[in-house]
Coordinates of all heavy atoms in Angstrom, one line a residue:
Y125 N -0.7 -4.7 3.0 CA -2.1 -4.9 2.5 C -2.8 -5.9 3.3 O -2.2 -6.7 4.1 CB -2.1 -5.4 1.0 CG -1.6 -6.8 0.8 CD1 -2.4 -7.9 0.9 CD2 -0.2 -7.0 0.5 CE1 -1.9 -9.2 0.7 CE2 0.3 -8.3 0.3 CZ -0.6 -9.4 0.4 OH -0.1 -10.7 0.2
S126 N -4.2 -5.8 3.3 CA -5.0 -6.6 4.2 C -6.4 -6.8 3.5 O -6.9 -5.8 3.0 CB -5.2 -6.0 5.6 OG -6.1 -6.8 6.3
A127 N -7.0 -7.9 3.6 CA -8.3 -8.2 3.1 C -9.4 -7.9 4.2 O -10.5 -7.7 3.8 CB -8.4 -9.6 2.6
N128 N -9.0 -7.8 5.4 CA -10.0 -7.7 6.5 C -9.6 -6.5 7.5 O -10.4 -6.3 8.4 CB -10.1 -8.9 7.3 CG -8.8 -9.5 7.9 OD1 -7.9 -8.7 8.1 ND2 -8.8 -10.8 8.2
G129 N -8.5 -5.8 7.3 CA -8.1 -4.8 8.2 C -7.5 -5.2 9.5 O -7.1 -4.4 10.3
R130 N -7.4 -6.5 9.7 CA -6.8 -7.1 10.9 C -5.5 -7.8 10.6 O -4.5 -7.6 11.4 CB -7.8 -8.0 11.6 CG -9.1 -7.4 12.1 CD -9.9 -8.4 12.8 NE -10.3 -9.5 11.9 CZ -11.4 -9.5 11.1 NH1 -12.2 -8.4 11.1 NH2 -11.7 -10.5 10.4
D131 N -5.5 -8.6 9.6 CA -4.3 -9.4 9.3 C -3.6 -8.7 8.1 O -4.1 -8.6 7.0 CB -4.7 -10.8 8.9 CG -5.5 -11.5 10.0 OD1 -5.0 -11.5 11.2 OD2 -6.6 -11.9 9.7
W132 N -2.3 -8.3 8.3 CA -1.6 -7.5 7.3 C -0.4 -8.2 6.8 O 0.3 -9.0 7.5 CB -1.2 -6.2 7.9 CG -2.3 -5.3 8.2 CD1 -3.1 -5.3 9.4 CD2 -2.9 -4.2 7.4 NE1 -4.1 -4.3 9.3 CE2 -4.0 -3.7 8.1 CE3 -2.6 -3.7 6.1 CZ2 -4.7 -2.6 7.6 CZ3 -3.3 -2.7 5.6 CH2 -4.4 -2.2 6.3
T133 N -0.1 -8.0 5.5 CA 1.1 -8.6 4.9 C 2.0 -7.4 4.4 O 1.5 -6.5 3.7 CB 0.7 -9.5 3.7 OG1 -0.1 -10.6 4.3 CG2 2.0 -10.1 3.1
V134 N 3.3 -7.5 4.6 CA 4.2 -6.5 4.1 C 4.6 -6.8 2.7 O 5.0 -7.9 2.4 CB 5.5 -6.4 5.0 CG1 6.4 -5.4 4.5 CG2 5.1 -6.1 6.5
V135 N 4.5 -5.8 1.8 CA 4.9 -5.9 0.4 C 6.4 -5.8 0.3 O 7.0 -5.0 1.0 CB 4.2 -4.8 -0.4 CG1 4.7 -4.8 -1.9 CG2 2.7 -5.0 -0.4
P136 N 7.0 -6.6 -0.5 CA 8.5 -6.4 -0.8 C 8.8 -5.0 -1.2 O 8.1 -4.4 -2.0 CB 8.8 -7.4 -1.9 CG 7.7 -8.5 -1.8 CD 6.5 -7.8 -1.3
R137 N 9.8 -4.4 -0.5 CA 10.1 -3.0 -0.7 C 10.6 -2.7 -2.1 O 11.5 -3.3 -2.6 CB 11.1 -2.6 0.4 CG 11.4 -1.1 0.4 CD 12.3 -0.8 1.6 NE 11.8 -1.3 2.8 CZ 12.5 -1.2 4.0 NH1 13.7 -0.6 4.0 NH2 12.0 -1.6 5.1
L138 N 10.0 -1.6 -2.7 CA 10.5 -1.2 -4.0 C 11.4 0.1 -3.9 O 12.0 0.5 -4.8 CB 9.3 -0.9 -4.9 CG 8.5 -2.1 -5.3 CD1 7.3 -1.6 -6.2 CD2 9.3 -3.0 -6.1
T139 N 11.3 0.8 -2.7 CA 12.0 2.0 -2.5 C 12.3 2.2 -1.0 O 11.6 1.6 -0.2 CB 11.2 3.2 -3.0 OG1 11.9 4.4 -2.8 CG2 9.9 3.3 -2.3
K140 N 13.3 3.0 -0.7 CA 13.6 3.3 0.7 C 13.0 4.7 1.0 O 13.1 5.1 2.2 CB 15.1 3.3 0.9 CG 15.7 1.9 0.8 CD 17.2 1.9 1.2 CE 17.8 0.5 1.1 NZ 19.3 0.6 1.4
S141 N 12.4 5.3 0.0 CA 11.9 6.7 0.3 C 10.6 6.6 1.1 O 9.8 5.6 0.9 CB 11.6 7.4 -1.1 OG 12.8 7.5 -1.8
H142 N 10.3 7.6 1.9 CA 9.1 7.6 2.7 C 7.9 7.9 1.7 O 7.9 8.7 0.8 CB 9.1 8.8 3.7 CG 10.2 8.6 4.7 ND1 10.8 7.4 5.0 CD2 10.8 9.6 5.5 CE1 11.7 7.6 6.0 NE2 11.8 8.9 6.2
L143 N 6.8 7.1 2.0 CA 5.6 7.3 1.2 C 4.6 8.1 2.0 O 4.4 7.8 3.2 CB 5.0 5.9 0.9 CG 5.9 5.0 0.0 CD1 5.3 3.6 -0.1 CD2 6.2 5.6 -1.4
K144 N 4.1 9.2 1.4 CA 3.3 10.2 2.1 C 1.8 9.9 1.9 O 1.0 10.2 2.8 CB 3.6 11.6 1.7 CG 5.1 12.0 1.8 CD 5.5 12.0 3.2 CE 6.9 12.6 3.3 NZ 7.4 12.7 4.7
K145 N 1.4 9.4 0.8 CA 0.0 9.3 0.5 C -0.3 8.1 -0.4 O 0.5 7.8 -1.3 CB -0.5 10.5 -0.2 CG -2.0 10.6 -0.5 CD -2.8 10.9 0.7 CE -4.2 11.2 0.4 NZ -5.0 11.6 1.5
V146 N -1.4 7.3 -0.1 CA -1.8 6.3 -1.0 C -3.3 6.5 -1.2 O -4.1 6.8 -0.3 CB -1.5 4.9 -0.5 CG1 -2.2 4.6 0.9 CG2 -1.9 3.8 -1.5
I147 N -3.8 6.3 -2.5 CA -5.2 6.4 -2.8 C -5.6 5.3 -3.7 O -4.8 4.6 -4.3 CB -5.6 7.8 -3.5 CG1 -5.0 7.8 -4.9 CG2 -5.2 8.9 -2.6 CD1 -5.5 8.9 -5.8
F148 N -6.9 5.0 -3.7 CA -7.5 4.1 -4.7 C -8.4 4.9 -5.6 O -9.4 5.5 -5.1 CB -8.2 2.9 -4.1 CG -8.7 1.9 -5.1 CD1 -7.9 0.9 -5.5 CD2 -10.0 2.0 -5.5 CE1 -8.4 0.0 -6.4 CE2 -10.5 1.1 -6.5 CZ -9.7 0.1 -6.9
A149 N -8.2 4.9 -6.9 CA -9.1 5.5 -7.9 C -8.9 4.9 -9.2 O -7.8 4.5 -9.5 CB -8.8 7.0 -7.9
S150 N -9.9 5.0 -10.1 CA -9.8 4.5 -11.4 C -9.3 3.0 -11.4 O -8.4 2.7 -12.3 CB -8.9 5.4 -12.3 OG -9.0 5.0 -13.7
N151 N -9.7 2.2 -10.5 CA -9.4 0.8 -10.4 C -7.9 0.5 -10.2 O -7.4 -0.5 -10.6 CB -9.8 0.1 -11.7 CG -10.0 -1.4 -11.5 OD1 -10.5 -1.8 -10.5 ND2 -9.6 -2.2 -12.5
R152 N -7.2 1.4 -9.4 CA -5.8 1.2 -9.1 C -5.5 1.9 -7.8 O -6.0 3.0 -7.5 CB -4.9 1.5 -10.2 CG -4.8 3.0 -10.5 CD -4.4 3.3 -11.9 NE -5.5 3.0 -12.8 CZ -5.3 2.9 -14.1 NH1 -4.2 3.1 -14.7 NH2 -6.4 2.7 -14.9
F153 N -4.4 1.4 -7.1 CA -3.8 2.2 -6.0 C -2.7 3.0 -6.6 O -1.9 2.5 -7.5 CB -3.3 1.2 -5.0 CG -4.3 0.4 -4.2 CD1 -4.7 -0.8 -4.6 CD2 -4.9 1.0 -3.1 CE1 -5.7 -1.5 -3.9 CE2 -5.8 0.3 -2.3 CZ -6.2 -0.9 -2.7
V154 N -2.5 4.2 -6.0 CA -1.4 5.0 -6.4 C -0.8 5.6 -5.1 O -1.5 6.2 -4.3 CB -1.8 6.2 -7.4 CG1 -0.6 7.0 -7.7 CG2 -2.4 5.6 -8.6
A155 N 0.5 5.5 -5.0 CA 1.2 6.0 -3.8 C 2.3 7.0 -4.2 O 3.0 6.7 -5.2 CB 1.8 4.9 -3.0
G156 N 2.5 8.0 -3.5 CA 3.5 9.0 -3.8 C 4.3 9.4 -2.5 O 3.8 9.2 -1.4

């Protein structure tokens, strides 16, 4: 995640599975 698109922070991993898509809608991020 990043607030400016330049400086990024890695989120603690919740899964080892590859994530194909992330969207923002209805006031939340959803990744599958």
Side-chain angles (χ1 to χ4, degrees):
Y125 70 88
S126 172
N128 56 22
R130 296 183 299 273
D131 305 305
W132 293 84
T133 300
V134 179
V135 173
R137 186 177 302 177
L138 293 178
T139 178
K140 294 182 180 180
S141 299
H142 298 336
L143 299 174
K144 304 295 188 183
K145 183 76 172 183
V146 60
I147 66 167
F148 182 86
S150 190
N151 201 38
R152 73 204 68 191
F153 290 96
V154 181

